[in-house]
Amino acid sequence: MLRRIGLVLMVGVSVAACRPRPAVYVPPPGVDVVHYDVTLDLRPETLYLNGRARLEVRHPDTLTQLPLALRGLEVDTVRVDERIVPVRLADGRLLVSLPGGQARSRVEVVYRGEPDEGVYAGEHEGQRIVYSDAWPDRVRGWLPGVHHPSDPATFELTLTVPRGHEAVATGVPVGVDTLGDGLRYRWRLGAPAPTYSYAFAVSDFAVTTTTLGDTLPVRYYLLAPDSAEAAELRRTPEVLAYFSRRLGPYPFAQYATVQVPFAWGGMENASASFLNADLFGTGRAEETQVHEIAHQWFGTHVVLADWRDLWLSEGMATYLTTLFYEHADGLDAARARWVEMARLSEDDLASLTELVPRGPVDPNTYFSWVPYRRGGCVLHLLRRRLGDDAFFAALRRAYQTYRGRPLSTEAFRVLLEQESGRDLTGVFDVWVYRWELPLLRTQWRPQRDRLTWQVEGDERTLLGLPVLLEVVQDGQAHLVPLSEGGVTLPGDTPPRVRPVGIMLRVE
Ligand SMILES: [Zn+2]
């Protein structure tokens, strides 16, 4: 997802701050939900829903109790393989009794209520919209499940709403039935995705459809007041085509964009990204769209082994976005983004953390700029270390090997090492696991018009890398290789130094 520009308090953070949260859900070892078949009957006026979820679950045959995350709803019945079983619902956990002695169960949960999280109503220029918003685990407000990024599953949703409402959701639309005064929509997502990327929205949308090639439908669901703004998304097929060539085939059978008045800039819901309603007309819709499209490969299909690996989703989407602009608009467009990616404000330095903590993390408190920009910078450094051929081969292999499966930071390092034949232990120790950032110590000697620099604390991991610094004096930018150690400048004004895509503390 992408943070909304200028918004300091994020949804997840504010939820965490306002209400006591149950502990982060961690699935029991060996549990794997393969498929969710979900039926919801939703009243958009009150958000009240009647739900039925059928889960196909693989698990160790010794498991006798399956904890599913579910919060704030009443459970009517739970069946395992057609038989009603005892359950306990406490502290956001639905504890389902399993018979034991079998490694696969079909679990059906029938539930109802008004969600206290995960489903919301909002307005954009007078138009009402009901939508779901799930990251990191608020999907538990409308769906019982294994709500952890490491357990992606295929998904189908049947959503009934009163007539006069239009609905869009994760997956390919497979039909709409008229039932008395209601409309029953059905979608199917045929490739696994994490449950935080399951979503739906109900409003009066203006729908524009195009295609990528002859086969992939690309649809824009914009709210009526902004229906003319679809032009801002015109490069969407080009972005999908670029990442398909770069990384491997697009995983889903359609790509939709849905305009939603939520707190994020965008959210990479599987096959149906949501973009913030206010982005349209600001010139920021396209870049947010590129970020969310990149996630369809990393985050939404190659999934995180754990929340601590969040940079493999957010840092990857951040860096892949710059790669699209490098391809489409040229190196200067990418360099400008790499400088911004590496730029550190006072606030950034005050909230600096290591990129990947050694222990478990709560995604609500771990969420910050770090997985995005520090993660993106590590990918840029790895590209410089490996060279383009090995780096892009490694990304393609990561996608090919881990599509529909969890990828950890450690597995990613091994894959990069195999592809390049290099030992990257030192690089990961300094740039991924260490809290402190290496320092770029600069010295300006105005009497000689000479700026010099040296890097400290990088353990020689930058040695010999083609890394650039942007040195700006009197509004003039000069690109100088880091390895030159200095530059002579024409003016007397103290210059400003910004690393291009490498995150260094500059003094
Ligand atoms: Zn993102």
Side-chain angles (χ1 to χ4, degrees):
M1 82 235 114
L2 204 59
R3 289 181 289 177
R4 187 176 174 178
I5 296 87
L7 192 78
V8 178
L9 256 189
M10 296 313 306
V11 168
V13 177
S14 61
V15 167
C18 300
R19 290 185 205 146
R21 291 180 58 89
V24 174
Y25 177 83
V26 179
V31 167
D32 173 15
V33 180
V34 180
H35 183 70
Y36 291 84
D37 176 0
V38 184
T39 301
L40 296 178
D41 188 340
L42 175 72
R43 294 176 208 163
E45 294 73 25
T46 59
L47 307 189
Y48 191 92
L49 58 82
N50 284 286
R52 188 195 63 205
R54 289 178 172 149
L55 283 61
E56 287 175 31
V57 192
R58 289 191 200 128
H59 52 78
D61 59 8
T62 50
L63 191 75
T64 54
Q65 199 170 57
L66 173 68
L68 300 176
L70 178 70
R71 195 171 182 218
L73 298 174
E74 279 182 56
V75 172
D76 292 326
T77 54
V78 178
R79 287 183 167 83
V80 174
D81 297 328
E82 314 293 335
R83 289 198 179 155
I84 291 186
V85 296
V87 287
R88 203 152 55 83
L89 179 59
D91 198 25
R93 302 283 181 275
L94 180 68
L95 301 171
V96 178
S97 298
L98 299 180
Q102 61 184 43
R104 208 171 170 122
S105 300
R106 284 194 316 277
V107 178
E108 181 190 84
V109 184
V110 177
Y111 53 100
R112 64 195 146 89
E114 195 177 309
D116 62 7
E117 61 182 347
V119 183
Y120 308 93
E123 250 190 37
H124 178 67
E125 296 185 17
Q127 188 178 337
R128 190 164 189 274
I129 173 168
V130 170
Y131 61 94
S132 67
D133 180 29
W135 195 93
D137 56 1
R138 284 171 294 131
V139 61
R140 66 190 177 181
W142 59 272
L143 174 66
V146 171
H147 299 318
H148 191 269
S150 64
D151 188 9
T154 51
F155 173 66
E156 56 191 292
L157 175 64
T158 303
L159 177 66
T160 304
V161 293
R163 267 208 238 192
H165 293 81
E166 183 159 7
V168 54
T170 301
V172 179
V174 288
V176 188
D177 308 313
T178 305
L179 314 162
D181 58 357
L183 288 173
R184 186 171 63 195
Y185 290 84
R186 285 174 287 127
W187 299 268
R188 188 173 298 130
L189 185 74
T195 60
Y196 71 68
S197 71
Y198 299 170
F200 58 85
V202 180
S203 191
D204 175 21
F205 293 107
V207 187
T208 312
T209 302
T210 177
T211 55
L212 170 61
D214 294 331
T215 51
L216 185 76
V218 176
R219 297 189 171 96
Y220 311 117
Y221 291 77
L222 299 193
L223 297 168
D226 287 342
S227 56
E229 310 283 3
E232 286 193 49
L233 304 175
R234 66 187 175 282
R235 291 215 281 189
T236 297
E238 183 187 347
V239 181
L240 288 159
Y242 169 71
F243 288 134
S244 299
R245 282 198 307 276
R246 229 342 149 205
L247 304 169
Y250 175 71
F252 306 112
Q254 81 152 359
Y255 182 76
T257 309
V258 187
Q259 192 188 6
V260 172
F262 63 176
W264 308 112
M267 176 63 212
E268 64 275 21
N269 296 316
S271 81
S273 294
F274 285 11
L275 295 192
N276 188 293
D278 293 334
L279 278 179
F280 292 83
T282 66
R284 300 285 303 170
E286 180 187 284
E287 191 152 350
T288 307
Q289 172 83 315
V290 178
H291 178 101
E292 308 311 340
I293 292 175
H295 271 306
Q296 302 297 319
W297 280 261
F298 283 93
T300 304
H301 197 38
V302 172
V303 296
L304 303 176
D306 192 82
W307 290 116
R308 63 192 280 275
D309 303 304
L310 186 57
W311 76 290
L312 294 176
S313 172
E314 295 304 348
M316 189 70 85
T318 301
Y319 191 57
L320 289 173
T321 298
T322 72
L323 296 185
F324 169 74
Y325 285 103
E326 181 182 3
H327 156 80
D329 295 352
L331 197 51
D332 286 350
R335 272 202 199 112
R337 287 171 171 85
W338 294 335
V339 168
E340 284 307 309
M341 191 169 76
R343 185 139 75 128
L344 290 165
S345 68
E346 291 295 316
D347 283 351
D348 292 339
L349 284 168
S351 56
L352 181 71
T353 62
E354 65 271 65
L355 182 58
V356 178
R358 295 277 181 184
V361 297
D362 178 339
N364 296 285
T365 48
Y366 172 57
F367 181 83
S368 76
W369 63 272
V370 170
Y372 290 76
R373 293 194 288 113
R374 194 170 183 177
C377 287
V378 167
L379 289 163
H380 189 64
L381 188 150
L382 288 166
R383 178 183 175 189
R384 292 294 181 246
R385 177 89 267 166
L386 268 60
D388 279 9
D389 288 352
F391 177 74
F392 288 118
L395 290 193
R396 278 193 297 277
R397 213 170 119 219
Y399 179 64
Q400 198 176 30
T401 311
Y402 288 93
R403 50 187 303 175
R405 294 177 52 208
L407 174 64
S408 69
T409 299
E410 290 72 22
F412 185 55
R413 177 178 59 77
V414 168
L415 199 142
L416 290 159
E417 289 180 339
Q418 287 170 346
E419 205 59 52
S420 66
R422 289 173 182 275
D423 178 0
L424 296 170
T425 316
V427 171
F428 272 64
D429 281 349
V430 172
W431 297 93
V432 174
Y433 297 116
R434 191 175 290 179
W435 184 296
E436 305 83 25
L437 284 167
L439 172 70
L440 180 72
R441 193 180 292 286
T442 63
Q443 191 172 27
W444 170 236
R445 293 190 182 86
Q447 63 279 20
R448 292 192 204 164
D449 296 336
R450 183 79 184 157
L451 176 75
T452 56
W453 55 75
Q454 61 193 44
V455 179
E456 298 171 10
D458 74 315
E459 315 279 355
R460 300 167 69 82
T461 52
L462 292 179
L463 197 68
L465 293 199
V467 169
L468 292 175
L469 298 180
E470 183 187 77
V471 180
V472 182
Q473 187 188 52
D474 298 326
Q476 284 285 321
H478 311 264
L479 289 169
V480 188
L482 174 72
S483 56
E484 291 193 0
V487 63
T488 303
L489 295 165
D492 295 332
T493 320
R496 196 184 60 219
V497 181
R498 286 181 180 159
V500 181
I502 301 295
M503 194 164 276
L504 296 163
R505 223 154 33 84
V506 182
E507 277 185 13

